[in-house]
Amino acid sequence: MKVLVVMGSKSDSHIAGKVTKVLEEFGVEHDIEVASAHRNPERVEELAKEDYDVFIAIAGLSAALPGVIASHTTRPVIGVPVSAKLGGLDSLLSIAQMPPGVPVAAVGIDNGRNAALLAIEILALKDEGLKKKLEEYRERMRG
């Protein structure tokens, strides 16, 4: 089970750090790439076709990256809107308002942590060990 974290720009690395920290805490294998939906769409398409179970796409402004990845795969894509302009609402709406048939999950603005946890929930559907870690994590949150 493997997750690909894609940043639209190197300036999104502070959000990617939140994602990778959680994935590492849970022992989830992951890779990180920088690829812009607008500046290198061919690279984004290549990445979407690679063998990952879940994609996490971090993007600000027009936030096209999650949708472009989703257009090239049937695997889950989680979009993380970045608060670059307009408090991140422009990015959030771009991610959440995908056309019918090409869904992208969206977490809160700058909320890389929740993106990682959602990816872990998806992976835990087929991984009992990960499911147990997630249940223990939730229990610690209650305490």
Side-chain angles (χ1 to χ4, degrees):
M1 301 251 170
K2 198 168 183 181
V3 174
L4 178 62
V5 180
V6 185
M7 299 178 284
S9 168
K10 286 183 183 177
S11 65
D12 300 329
S13 61
H14 64 292
I15 305 297
K18 295 176 185 180
V19 173
T20 58
K21 182 178 180 189
V22 173
L23 294 175
E24 289 166 3
E25 286 174 17
F26 280 82
V28 173
E29 191 176 349
H30 60 279
D31 291 323
I32 303 172
E33 295 281 345
V34 177
S36 167
H38 299 104
R39 290 185 294 274
N40 34 9
E42 296 86 8
R43 179 66 181 137
V44 172
E45 182 177 354
E46 289 171 8
L47 291 170
K49 292 179 179 178
E50 290 186 12
D51 192 26
Y52 290 95
D53 298 289
V54 179
F55 296 88
I56 297 175
I58 303 166
L61 303 172
S62 70
L65 182 60
V68 171
I69 292 172
S71 74
H72 295 291
T73 185
T74 57
R75 287 165 282 160
V77 178
I78 302 166
V80 183
V82 176
S83 60
K85 301 282 182 185
L86 302 177
L89 291 176
D90 50 343
S91 303
L92 176 63
L93 292 172
S94 293
I95 293 169
Q97 292 295 93
M98 286 296 295
V102 188
V104 171
V107 296
I109 298 166
D110 294 336
N111 203 334
R113 185 166 183 82
N114 269 358
L117 289 167
L118 181 54
I120 291 164
E121 288 178 353
I122 292 167
L123 296 174
L125 291 170
K126 292 187 177 182
D127 184 323
E128 284 299 318
L130 200 52
K131 180 181 177 185
K132 184 161 179 50
K133 286 181 185 179
L134 191 55
E135 289 168 348
E136 291 168 355
Y137 169 82
R138 291 278 179 94
E139 189 58 40
R140 287 193 305 274
M141 285 181 59
R142 291 182 188 101

